Amino acid sequence: QVQLVESGGGSVQAGGSLRLSCVASGYTGSRYCMGWFRQAPGKEREGVACSDSDGGTVYGPSVKGRFTISRDNAKNTAYLQMNSLKPEDTAMYYCAAHWPGSWCVLASGFYNYWGQGTQVTVSS
C-alpha cells in the first residue's frame, strides 16, 4: 500500500515563502511521477507542479516562476518550494503519485495515490 504524507504547510504573509514536503512509502519500482495539487474552498482542484523520475517538470501557469518542485529519490521525497506567495495561493495542498510511470501530466485523474493534504494560508 503506497502512502504519501505531506508536511510544511502553515500561515505566512504575502511575499513570504514556504516549503512543502511529501514522503512516499510502501511502493516498488524506481520510476514514478510525483505532483502537487491544491484546492481552495469552493474551487476546483488545480494542478500546481509535477516531476518525473528524470527531473522533468511541469508547472501550472499561476505558479510558474514562483514555485519549484524537486525530488530526492534516495529519500523518496518530493518538495515544493513556494516563493513570493500571494493570498490567492491559499488552499489545501495535496501530494500525488503515479506509479509506475516515466512521465507526468498535471491532471488529477492521472494520479493513483494521494496524500491527506496540508493547509497553506497566505495573508495580505
Side-chain angles (χ1 to χ4, degrees):
Q1 182 74 15
V2 175
Q3 287 190 315
L4 304 175
V5 179
E6 305 101 330
S7 62
S11 297
V12 65
Q13 289 192 327
S17 298
L18 283 174
R19 189 176 83 153
L20 306 183
S21 299
C22 173
V23 179
S25 62
Y27 66 96
T28 57
S30 60
R31 301 197 66 78
Y32 56 95
C33 169
M34 292 191 80
W36 289 95
F37 289 77
R38 67 186 183 186
Q39 189 165 20
K43 294 189 177 181
E44 293 187 355
R45 188 166 291 188
E46 175 188 8
V48 176
C50 62
S51 172
D52 62 33
S53 296
D54 296 321
T57 57
V58 179
Y59 291 94
S62 61
V63 306
K64 205 167 187 178
R66 299 187 298 124
F67 291 10
T68 303
I69 187 171
S70 61
R71 292 168 56 156
D72 184 336
N73 291 328
K75 295 182 178 179
N76 304 317
T77 301
Y79 305 97
L80 184 69
Q81 178 66 44
M82 306 185 293
N83 298 330
S84 303
L85 282 161
K86 305 175 182 179
E88 51 263 43
D89 294 318
T90 295
M92 185 71 78
Y93 283 71
Y94 297 91
C95 174
H98 174 87
W99 241 295
S102 298
W103 51 281
C104 292
V105 293
L106 269 182
S108 59
F110 176 75
Y111 295 83
N112 42 9
Y113 300 102
W114 291 84
Q116 293 299 307
T118 185
Q119 177 68 38
V120 171
T121 302
V122 184
S123 58
S124 57

